[in-house]
Amino acid sequence: MKRILIVDDAATVRLFHRAILESAGYAVDEAVNGIEALEKALQSTFDLYLVDVNMPKLDGYGFLRELRGSELPQAPAIMISTEAGARDEQLAYAAGANAYLVKPTRPERLLLLVRMLIGEVPA
Amino acid sequence: MAFIKKSPGSETLAHEERRFARDCAGLALELESADASERRWAARDLADCPDASALLLSRLQREDDASVRELILSTLTRLGDEVAVLGLVNCLRSENAALRNEAIECMKQLPDEVAPIMQCLLADADADVRIFAVNVLESLCHPEVESWLIQVIESDAQVNVCATAVDLLGEVGSAAARDALLRLKARFADEPYMQFATDLALKRLAAN
Amino acid sequence: MADTPISEEEFQKFREFFYRKTGIQFESSKRYFVDKRLVERIEATGNDTFRSYFTMLRFQASGEELQQLTNLMTVNETYFFREEYQFKCLVDSILPEIVARKSSRSPIRIWVIPSSSGEEPYSIALYLLEHWAGINDWDIEIISSDIDTRILAQARQGLYSQRAIQQLPVRMLQKYFSRVGDGYQLCDDIRSAVEFTRVNLSERADTRAYRNFDIVFCRNLLIYFDDISRKTAAETFYDALNPGGFILLGHSESMSRISSLYKVRKFPEAIVYQRSLETR
């Protein structure tokens, strides 16, 4: 089973994303900020990261920069933001994101991106 | 045996180089030192100086060492005066995501100081500032918190501001929020996230 | 107990809040354990309902109740060789890195706080003697601090009950302790390996002298502090450590709830936090 780490400080958002991803057959773990996400990434392997931008202690950009600059096994990352601005999307890609989603999440859009990035492209 | 006993300060204090006087003028200079460790100590010790907040805020804008920024923000939180709070509010508008989130964390530690300007922040023209304001509300012990959150979900047009408020209402809301949550659910009927979040919050209100 | 039942939704609310504040996550299977302790605190604080208690827990300015509850939810006993895997990490992973980096033969400095009644710092001394070959080549300074002067006196004395020493191998017990009445007296060699000092972590005047440490052990202390004190402590350790120095927290503690100053390092035995090498 493919494993996804949800990194978001809002509990409701984590629950929502967990419900979507679990019902699509993924295993899910959670972290409330970038540092906890790094701790989890050090302790187990994930196939994808779903990362919020604004979080305490270490934000989403900071987490992705650390992850990409580390010797940890790499996996694709989707950055999720409340901002639709081009600037933020650029920052996300510069930090190492592979896709950018604007909140509130549409389940079908999220699953489409997840499947594509994990490599489960429909035939 | 290879264990040595020595009092902790005996060597270290003697070694300590004090290039700057520990008075306020000296600390202000040390805050601009090229050495990050000296800047951190200045940021700590400035807590005892008048007008420290303005100095610290000015350094914060230019400081690129994260460890020094953390110390500056801690001292600003400890000071918590009007200058510090307004400076933190300005950080919410920063282009720098790390600084914005650091400012939110500090403001959460200053509920009494932030409460008087909360309504103003919740009415800010910038939706992101309104989201940050709701984030700060999480730690605010104020009789108005629930009614502010209700006001947000009743009137804010931006879906993500409302979503942030709903997340918190699920934790602090009472039966008084029920009708507003139902109206919000209807207002964003085509947003799956809002359906999920309002249902969850309503369920948690019902538990009370 | 019967009149303050905690509903499923209340349990979920509490679980999310507690996870956010402490990083401790309860599985649903822990429900009974959590409920029992919550009800105990609800009653002890004179609250009638979970709701009123939860409001108090969230908003109490001193954070005292959250500390009380955390105390109940985590087992905080101190005894010799508690969380031994961290000492293994010290010997197998951390010390080799530190030694490889040392440019001089200056002593390796370890700060252990809180000292409590001495089990922690003495365990480190004992573990190093028994398991670290480098002990013959390197000088070690172990400084252990506590805010409580009575407990410091007790630590210096080095007299322990059966419960404190039960994790120690019999061989080590025989080698380093002698029976005194129904207690165990630690030998002078080990007692003199540790320097005890009084420190209030929240006092700049107290902590300023603490510098140039290679390793800080601060296990099961910060979790009981309020947010600001805990952050202040992490900042204090940062300047107490040499660049590249390490900090070890208790097993249920995570720097992710405290400060972003440190790098997370994973060694085979444990997760530890490190002050980055390049910064000053």
Side-chain angles (χ1 to χ4, degrees), chain C:
Chain C
M1 239 184 110
D3 34 337
T4 44
I6 291 159
S7 74
E8 174 64 20
E9 291 306 325
E10 286 169 338
F11 173 73
Q12 295 299 344
K13 254 193 328 198
F14 170 73
R15 186 162 83 152
E16 279 163 20
F17 169 76
F18 200 68
Y19 168 54
R20 186 172 78 223
K21 297 300 277 187
T22 66
I24 298 172
Q25 240 168 338
F26 295 115
E27 300 303 318
S28 290
S29 59
K30 282 273 206 142
R31 176 81 197 265
Y32 175 75
F33 167 93
V34 173
D35 279 17
K36 200 164 155 247
R37 280 153 186 81
L38 275 174
V39 170
E40 187 182 326
R41 289 312 302 166
I42 290 170
E43 284 170 359
T45 52
N47 282 283
D48 300 332
T49 59
F50 170 83
R51 182 176 168 76
S52 64
Y53 175 74
F54 189 57
T55 305
M56 168 187 172
L57 188 66
R58 292 183 82 260
F59 294 124
Q60 193 183 47
S62 66
E64 201 177 306
E65 182 53 30
L66 182 59
Q67 289 166 46
Q68 286 273 2
L69 186 65
T70 310
N71 236 325
L72 264 186
M73 295 286 184
T74 54
V75 186
N76 192 22
E77 288 179 306
T78 171
Y79 47 84
F80 278 90
F81 282 25
R82 181 183 181 194
E83 295 170 28
E84 187 179 343
Y85 66 94
Q86 291 200 334
F87 303 137
K88 185 165 166 42
C89 183
L90 173 70
V91 164
D92 291 352
S93 304
I94 295 176
L95 283 171
E97 254 194 47
I98 287 172
V99 163
R101 239 182 7 241
K102 282 245 180 230
S103 53
S104 68
R105 301 300 278 181
S106 61
I108 292 163
R109 287 165 52 86
I110 303 175
W111 188 14
V112 186
I113 184 166
S115 77
S116 302
S117 33
E119 290 90 335
E120 289 272 294
Y122 290 141
S123 289
I124 293 170
L126 289 172
Y127 201 91
L128 290 178
L129 272 179
E130 291 287 316
H131 298 284
W132 190 47
I135 194 83
N136 299 312
D137 305 323
W138 291 88
D139 287 335
I140 303 258
E141 286 177 35
I142 301 175
I143 290 151
S144 190
S145 310
D146 207 287
I147 192 170
D148 181 344
T149 48
R150 279 167 313 167
I151 207 96
L152 283 169
Q154 200 183 319
R156 275 195 197 95
Q157 196 187 2
L159 185 60
Y160 295 98
S161 68
Q162 166 71 31
R163 202 194 50 73
I165 50 85
Q166 60 192 4
Q167 294 289 319
L168 283 176
V170 175
R171 187 184 50 78
M172 288 181 70
L173 200 57
Q174 287 167 346
K175 191 167 164 190
Y176 299 107
F177 291 80
S178 53
R179 284 304 293 258
V180 176
D182 50 4
Y184 294 82
Q185 174 63 56
L186 182 63
C187 69
D188 290 350
D189 277 357
I190 301 297
R191 283 169 61 203
S192 67
V194 177
E195 178 74 44
F196 290 97
T197 63
R198 187 199 170 276
V199 163
N200 178 350
L201 264 181
S202 313
E203 279 293 330
R204 265 177 291 150
D206 278 12
T207 57
R208 198 184 293 274
Y210 290 73
R211 304 251 178 117
N212 305 113
F213 285 94
D214 297 294
I215 298 152
V216 171
F217 275 86
C218 181
R219 309 200 297 177
N220 308 303
L221 175 70
L222 300 186
I223 197 167
Y224 305 110
F225 281 18
D226 65 44
D227 289 350
I228 293 185
S229 315
R230 168 185 314 172
K231 189 157 176 284
T232 305
E235 290 161 3
T236 297
F237 295 143
Y238 192 82
D239 276 299
L241 283 168
N242 290 323
F246 293 92
I247 174 161
L248 292 92
L249 301 176
H251 73 286
S252 58
E253 297 174 306
S254 163
M255 204 51 103
S256 65
R257 298 298 186 283
I258 303 173
S259 161
S260 45
L261 284 170
Y262 299 88
K263 299 269 172 244
V264 191
R265 286 287 304 275
K266 178 177 166 59
F267 291 115
E269 306 83 10
I271 290 261
V272 303
Y273 300 91
Q274 185 177 27
R275 178 175 164 178
S276 66
L277 261 173
E278 60 269 24
T279 55
R280 235 215 74 115

